[in-house]
Amino acid sequence: MVNMQNETKSLKKKKLKKIIITVASIVLAVAVIAGIGPFVLNWLHLKDQTANYDDLRFFEPDYEKNIFEDDLYMSLRRGIHYNRYGNECVLTEDNVKELPAAAGFFYDYLNCIIRGDYENYPNFYTDKCKNDENFNCPERFTMQGLYDIHVDLYSVSGDEETGAVTEIYEVRYRIFENNGTYRKDILPDETRTRVFELVIINGEAKINSITYRQTIK
C-alpha cells in the first residue's frame, strides 16, 4: 500500500514537471516569434546569471593606481561605440551634445565607472532600481579599465500621460585587469551583455533596471 502511494506521488511530480516544462517552452516560443526572446530568457535565467567569481581570480586592487598612466590599457580600443537604429558613432564630450539624451547619459555613466567615481555612481539610477533587492551598488571601487565598449539601442517606447520615454539598451564591455571591486560577475578581459532599461523624463535619463542577456542558440 505504501509503495502504491509513493508511486502515485512520483507520477504526480513527473506530470507536474512535464506541465511546467511544456508551459515554459510555449512561452519561450511565443516570445521568440514576438521578437522579445532575449528579455524573457533574462527573466527565466536571472538567478543563474548573478553568481560571482572567487576573489582569487581577480587582480589585486590598487586604489592609488591611475589607469590613464598605464600604457597597455591606453593602447586598447577604449572608445564608447553607441549604436542607434544602425547609426554607430564613438561618443565624445563634443558630439554627445548633438545626440539624443541617452548618448550623453551613457558617456557620463561609463566614464564615471572608468574614473572610479563611486560617490557619484548611485546618481545614475532611479530609486526603483536602487531599492531592488538584486541591485548591486559597490560602496567603493577603483578606476576601471573599461574597453571594447558597445551600447546598442534595442527598443523605444513612450508614455503619453507622463511624457516619460523608456529605451532598452544592450551594453557590453571588457575590464582590463579586472580587480573585482566594481564587478565580480566577469573575469579580467571577459565580456557579458547586460540589458539596461533607461527612463528619460524631460531630457534627464536614469537606469531603471539591469538584467543579463541570455543568447538564444
Side-chain angles (χ1 to χ4, degrees):
M1 184 69 177
V2 174
N3 289 337
M4 289 184 65
Q5 289 179 343
N6 290 336
E7 289 180 4
T8 302
K9 289 181 179 178
S10 178
L11 286 173
K12 287 183 178 179
K13 288 182 179 179
K14 288 182 180 179
K15 287 182 179 180
L16 180 59
K17 184 176 181 181
K18 186 175 181 181
I19 291 172
I20 293 173
I21 293 173
T22 302
V23 172
S25 299
I26 293 172
V27 170
L28 182 57
V30 172
V32 171
I33 295 172
I36 59 173
F39 297 103
V40 172
L41 280 170
N42 283 331
W43 300 330
L44 291 178
H45 295 280
L46 185 58
K47 290 184 179 179
D48 296 334
Q49 298 291 324
T50 55
N52 291 328
Y53 290 105
D54 187 87
D55 289 343
L56 295 175
R57 306 191 68 177
F58 298 98
F59 283 74
E60 188 70 24
D62 182 358
Y63 283 88
E64 301 301 320
K65 180 179 179 179
N66 184 344
I67 59 172
F68 298 128
E69 296 176 354
D70 189 315
D71 293 337
L72 186 53
Y73 171 64
M74 295 301 288
S75 70
L76 299 175
R77 187 185 182 192
R78 299 181 297 106
I80 301 172
H81 293 257
Y82 179 78
N83 189 331
R84 191 179 185 90
Y85 301 124
N87 297 315
E88 183 177 306
C89 67
V90 176
L91 300 181
T92 67
E93 187 176 355
D94 293 325
N95 68 11
V96 294
K97 299 174 184 177
E98 309 298 327
L99 295 170
F105 172 85
F106 278 112
Y107 179 80
D108 292 338
Y109 170 73
L110 292 166
N111 276 293
C112 172
I113 298 170
I114 293 170
R115 294 193 306 270
D117 185 4
Y118 55 85
E119 293 181 341
N120 191 45
Y121 179 74
N123 296 328
F124 289 91
Y125 297 88
T126 63
D127 290 337
K128 173 182 175 295
C129 186
K130 286 186 285 189
N131 292 329
D132 189 287
E133 61 179 6
N134 294 315
F135 178 66
N136 177 32
C137 184
E139 292 184 4
R140 187 185 182 201
F141 55 88
T142 67
M143 296 182 75
Q144 299 292 303
L146 271 54
Y147 72 100
D148 194 16
I149 309 168
H150 294 270
V151 179
D152 301 315
L153 177 66
Y154 186 87
S155 67
V156 179
S157 61
D159 187 322
E160 294 183 358
E161 292 185 5
T162 64
V165 175
T166 299
E167 298 186 349
I168 305 298
Y169 285 87
E170 292 189 344
V171 179
R172 65 187 186 279
Y173 53 76
R174 303 178 195 275
I175 304 179
F176 174 71
E177 296 185 351
N178 185 14
N179 56 33
T181 58
Y182 175 62
R183 287 184 66 179
K184 289 186 177 181
D185 61 327
I186 52 174
L187 293 175
D189 302 305
E190 279 190 342
T191 188
R192 194 175 184 190
T193 300
R194 296 199 295 181
V195 179
F196 284 62
E197 179 189 63
L198 214 65
V199 174
I200 306 170
I201 301 176
N202 296 325
E204 182 182 7
K206 288 196 174 186
I207 298 168
N208 202 41
S209 71
I210 302 178
T211 54
Y212 290 100
R213 175 189 173 195
Q214 180 75 17
T215 305
I216 299 176
K217 296 182 179 180

